Short mmCIF file of all heavy atoms in Angstrom, two decimals:
data_model
loop_
_atom_site.label_atom_id
_atom_site.label_comp_id
_atom_site.label_asym_id
_atom_site.label_seq_id
_atom_site.Cartn_x
_atom_site.Cartn_y
_atom_site.Cartn_z
N LEU A 1 0.10 1.61 -2.61
CA LEU A 1 -0.04 2.78 -1.64
C LEU A 1 0.49 4.02 -2.34
O LEU A 1 0.18 5.18 -1.92
CB LEU A 1 0.60 2.48 -0.43
CG LEU A 1 -0.05 1.42 0.47
CD1 LEU A 1 0.68 1.35 1.85
CD2 LEU A 1 -1.48 1.73 0.80
N LEU A 2 1.40 3.89 -3.37
CA LEU A 2 1.99 5.07 -4.00
C LEU A 2 1.20 5.44 -5.28
O LEU A 2 1.63 6.29 -5.96
CB LEU A 2 3.44 4.83 -4.22
CG LEU A 2 4.28 4.67 -3.03
CD1 LEU A 2 5.79 4.31 -3.45
CD2 LEU A 2 4.25 5.91 -2.09
N ARG A 3 0.19 4.61 -5.61
CA ARG A 3 -0.48 4.82 -6.88
C ARG A 3 -1.65 5.81 -6.75
O ARG A 3 -2.46 5.69 -5.86
CB ARG A 3 -0.93 3.49 -7.37
CG ARG A 3 -1.57 3.52 -8.80
CD ARG A 3 -1.80 2.04 -9.25
NE ARG A 3 -2.38 2.12 -10.67
CZ ARG A 3 -2.59 1.06 -11.39
NH1 ARG A 3 -2.20 -0.16 -10.84
NH2 ARG A 3 -3.15 1.11 -12.55
N PRO A 4 -1.79 6.83 -7.60
CA PRO A 4 -2.96 7.62 -7.52
C PRO A 4 -4.17 6.88 -8.10
O PRO A 4 -4.00 5.98 -8.86
CB PRO A 4 -2.54 8.80 -8.51
CG PRO A 4 -1.52 8.26 -9.48
CD PRO A 4 -0.81 7.28 -8.59
N GLY A 5 -5.33 7.41 -7.78
CA GLY A 5 -6.55 6.82 -8.35
C GLY A 5 -6.52 7.02 -9.76
O GLY A 5 -6.25 8.08 -10.32
N ASP A 6 -7.11 6.00 -10.59
CA ASP A 6 -7.48 6.25 -11.98
C ASP A 6 -8.50 5.18 -12.38
O ASP A 6 -8.89 4.32 -11.67
CB ASP A 6 -6.09 6.02 -12.81
CG ASP A 6 -5.38 4.73 -12.65
OD1 ASP A 6 -6.08 3.61 -12.65
OD2 ASP A 6 -4.13 4.74 -12.49
N ALA A 7 -8.84 5.25 -13.59
CA ALA A 7 -9.95 4.35 -14.17
C ALA A 7 -9.62 2.89 -13.95
O ALA A 7 -10.47 2.01 -13.77
CB ALA A 7 -10.24 4.77 -15.56
N ASN A 8 -8.35 2.52 -14.20
CA ASN A 8 -8.02 1.15 -14.12
C ASN A 8 -7.71 0.63 -12.79
O ASN A 8 -8.23 -0.50 -12.41
CB ASN A 8 -6.65 0.92 -14.97
CG ASN A 8 -6.88 1.08 -16.47
OD1 ASN A 8 -7.88 0.68 -17.02
ND2 ASN A 8 -5.85 1.68 -17.08
N PHE A 9 -7.10 1.43 -11.90
CA PHE A 9 -6.85 1.00 -10.65
C PHE A 9 -8.02 1.15 -9.62
O PHE A 9 -8.15 0.40 -8.69
CB PHE A 9 -5.59 1.83 -10.02
CG PHE A 9 -5.13 1.56 -8.69
CD1 PHE A 9 -4.70 0.24 -8.23
CD2 PHE A 9 -5.20 2.47 -7.62
CE1 PHE A 9 -4.32 -0.05 -6.98
CE2 PHE A 9 -4.87 2.19 -6.36
CZ PHE A 9 -4.29 0.93 -6.08
N GLY A 10 -8.78 2.13 -9.93
CA GLY A 10 -9.82 2.58 -9.03
C GLY A 10 -9.27 3.69 -8.09
O GLY A 10 -8.38 4.27 -8.35
N PRO A 11 -10.03 3.95 -6.96
CA PRO A 11 -9.65 5.11 -6.20
C PRO A 11 -8.30 4.79 -5.36
O PRO A 11 -7.91 3.66 -5.14
CB PRO A 11 -10.79 5.11 -5.02
CG PRO A 11 -11.38 3.71 -5.01
CD PRO A 11 -11.19 3.13 -6.35
N LYS A 12 -7.72 5.96 -5.18
CA LYS A 12 -6.38 5.97 -4.31
C LYS A 12 -6.81 5.31 -2.94
O LYS A 12 -7.90 5.56 -2.41
CB LYS A 12 -6.00 7.37 -4.13
CG LYS A 12 -4.70 7.49 -3.30
CD LYS A 12 -4.39 9.04 -3.26
CE LYS A 12 -3.07 9.21 -2.60
NZ LYS A 12 -2.66 10.72 -2.56
N VAL A 13 -5.91 4.51 -2.42
CA VAL A 13 -6.17 3.93 -1.08
C VAL A 13 -5.98 5.06 -0.11
O VAL A 13 -5.00 5.75 0.10
CB VAL A 13 -5.08 2.82 -0.82
CG1 VAL A 13 -5.27 2.33 0.64
CG2 VAL A 13 -5.16 1.69 -1.80
N GLU A 14 -7.12 5.26 0.63
CA GLU A 14 -7.16 6.36 1.61
C GLU A 14 -7.08 5.86 3.07
O GLU A 14 -6.77 6.57 4.00
CB GLU A 14 -8.43 7.22 1.51
CG GLU A 14 -8.56 7.91 0.11
CD GLU A 14 -9.84 8.74 0.03
OE1 GLU A 14 -10.08 9.54 1.06
OE2 GLU A 14 -10.62 8.68 -0.95
N ALA A 15 -7.44 4.65 3.28
CA ALA A 15 -7.47 4.05 4.65
C ALA A 15 -7.06 2.59 4.61
O ALA A 15 -7.37 1.82 3.66
CB ALA A 15 -8.89 4.19 5.24
N LEU A 16 -6.25 2.24 5.63
CA LEU A 16 -5.71 0.87 5.66
C LEU A 16 -5.90 0.38 7.09
O LEU A 16 -5.58 1.05 8.08
CB LEU A 16 -4.20 1.04 5.38
CG LEU A 16 -3.41 -0.27 5.00
CD1 LEU A 16 -3.99 -0.93 3.74
CD2 LEU A 16 -2.00 0.14 4.73
N VAL A 17 -6.44 -0.77 7.27
CA VAL A 17 -6.66 -1.38 8.56
C VAL A 17 -5.78 -2.70 8.55
O VAL A 17 -5.93 -3.58 7.75
CB VAL A 17 -8.11 -1.77 8.83
CG1 VAL A 17 -8.20 -2.38 10.27
CG2 VAL A 17 -8.99 -0.41 8.73
N VAL A 18 -4.74 -2.69 9.39
CA VAL A 18 -3.69 -3.78 9.38
C VAL A 18 -3.94 -4.61 10.65
O VAL A 18 -3.90 -4.03 11.70
CB VAL A 18 -2.34 -3.18 9.30
CG1 VAL A 18 -1.27 -4.28 9.29
CG2 VAL A 18 -2.10 -2.36 8.09
N TYR A 19 -3.97 -5.94 10.45
CA TYR A 19 -3.92 -6.87 11.66
C TYR A 19 -3.33 -8.17 11.15
O TYR A 19 -3.31 -8.60 9.99
CB TYR A 19 -5.47 -7.01 12.11
CG TYR A 19 -6.39 -7.47 11.00
CD1 TYR A 19 -6.85 -8.75 10.94
CD2 TYR A 19 -6.89 -6.53 10.07
CE1 TYR A 19 -7.84 -9.13 9.94
CE2 TYR A 19 -7.79 -6.86 9.09
CZ TYR A 19 -8.22 -8.16 9.01
OH TYR A 19 -9.13 -8.54 8.04
N ASN A 20 -2.71 -8.94 12.13
CA ASN A 20 -2.15 -10.16 11.83
C ASN A 20 -0.98 -10.11 10.76
O ASN A 20 -0.72 -11.00 10.09
CB ASN A 20 -3.09 -11.20 11.40
CG ASN A 20 -4.18 -11.49 12.39
OD1 ASN A 20 -3.92 -11.20 13.67
ND2 ASN A 20 -5.29 -11.95 12.08
N SER A 21 -0.37 -8.88 10.62
CA SER A 21 0.59 -8.80 9.73
C SER A 21 1.56 -7.48 10.11
O SER A 21 1.00 -6.61 10.73
CB SER A 21 0.11 -8.58 8.32
OG SER A 21 1.14 -8.52 7.34
N ASN A 22 2.74 -7.51 9.60
CA ASN A 22 3.73 -6.39 9.72
C ASN A 22 4.27 -5.96 8.32
O ASN A 22 5.42 -6.25 8.03
CB ASN A 22 4.82 -6.83 10.65
CG ASN A 22 5.80 -5.72 10.96
OD1 ASN A 22 5.59 -4.52 10.68
ND2 ASN A 22 6.90 -6.14 11.63
N PRO A 23 3.46 -5.45 7.49
CA PRO A 23 3.80 -5.38 6.02
C PRO A 23 5.08 -4.47 5.83
O PRO A 23 5.87 -4.74 4.83
CB PRO A 23 2.63 -4.71 5.38
CG PRO A 23 1.74 -4.21 6.51
CD PRO A 23 2.09 -5.03 7.64
N VAL A 24 5.28 -3.38 6.65
CA VAL A 24 6.49 -2.62 6.41
C VAL A 24 7.72 -3.47 6.52
O VAL A 24 8.78 -3.15 5.94
CB VAL A 24 6.51 -1.46 7.40
CG1 VAL A 24 7.68 -0.59 7.27
CG2 VAL A 24 5.28 -0.62 7.16
N ALA A 25 7.68 -4.49 7.28
CA ALA A 25 8.96 -5.40 7.47
C ALA A 25 8.86 -6.62 6.45
O ALA A 25 9.89 -6.97 5.95
CB ALA A 25 9.00 -5.96 8.77
N VAL A 26 7.62 -7.15 6.15
CA VAL A 26 7.60 -8.40 5.44
C VAL A 26 7.23 -8.30 3.98
O VAL A 26 7.53 -9.24 3.27
CB VAL A 26 6.54 -9.42 6.12
CG1 VAL A 26 6.92 -9.62 7.61
CG2 VAL A 26 5.14 -8.93 5.96
N ALA A 27 6.72 -7.12 3.55
CA ALA A 27 6.37 -7.10 2.10
C ALA A 27 7.52 -6.76 1.25
O ALA A 27 8.53 -6.08 1.65
CB ALA A 27 5.23 -6.11 1.93
N PRO A 28 7.56 -7.10 0.00
CA PRO A 28 8.84 -6.94 -0.84
C PRO A 28 8.93 -5.49 -1.22
O PRO A 28 7.99 -4.67 -1.14
CB PRO A 28 8.53 -7.76 -2.06
CG PRO A 28 7.05 -8.00 -2.10
CD PRO A 28 6.62 -8.00 -0.66
N GLU A 29 10.22 -5.12 -1.50
CA GLU A 29 10.60 -3.70 -1.88
C GLU A 29 10.08 -2.77 -0.76
O GLU A 29 9.36 -1.83 -0.97
CB GLU A 29 10.07 -3.37 -3.19
CG GLU A 29 10.90 -2.16 -3.87
CD GLU A 29 10.45 -2.00 -5.27
OE1 GLU A 29 9.79 -2.72 -5.87
OE2 GLU A 29 11.05 -0.94 -5.88
N SER A 30 10.65 -3.01 0.40
CA SER A 30 10.18 -2.39 1.59
C SER A 30 10.35 -0.89 1.60
O SER A 30 9.64 -0.15 2.40
CB SER A 30 10.57 -3.03 2.90
OG SER A 30 12.07 -2.99 2.92
N LEU A 31 11.38 -0.35 0.84
CA LEU A 31 11.46 1.06 0.81
C LEU A 31 10.17 1.76 0.32
O LEU A 31 9.70 2.71 0.87
CB LEU A 31 12.63 1.46 -0.05
CG LEU A 31 12.89 3.04 -0.20
CD1 LEU A 31 13.07 3.71 1.01
CD2 LEU A 31 13.98 3.25 -1.25
N LYS A 32 9.58 1.18 -0.71
CA LYS A 32 8.36 1.77 -1.24
C LYS A 32 7.18 1.43 -0.31
O LYS A 32 6.31 2.31 -0.21
CB LYS A 32 7.96 1.04 -2.58
CG LYS A 32 8.80 1.57 -3.78
CD LYS A 32 8.26 0.97 -5.13
CE LYS A 32 8.95 1.55 -6.34
NZ LYS A 32 8.38 0.99 -7.55
N VAL A 33 7.20 0.32 0.41
CA VAL A 33 6.21 0.02 1.36
C VAL A 33 6.16 1.12 2.55
O VAL A 33 5.21 1.74 2.90
CB VAL A 33 6.29 -1.29 1.94
CG1 VAL A 33 5.17 -1.62 2.95
CG2 VAL A 33 6.28 -2.39 0.86
N ALA A 34 7.35 1.35 3.05
CA ALA A 34 7.48 2.41 4.06
C ALA A 34 7.12 3.80 3.53
O ALA A 34 6.44 4.53 4.26
CB ALA A 34 9.03 2.35 4.57
N GLN A 35 7.46 4.04 2.34
CA GLN A 35 7.06 5.39 1.72
C GLN A 35 5.54 5.50 1.68
O GLN A 35 5.03 6.49 2.01
CB GLN A 35 7.70 5.54 0.33
CG GLN A 35 9.19 5.76 0.43
CD GLN A 35 9.79 5.80 -1.03
OE1 GLN A 35 9.29 5.43 -1.96
NE2 GLN A 35 11.04 6.25 -1.03
#
């Protein structure tokens, strides 16, 4: 989510649809996730 778009990564993530998960709490290195 903090990565700009480029040729290797592809486009910057502009939209996120979240269901059946709470990534801000459960994903690793959550400071970056929250940012």
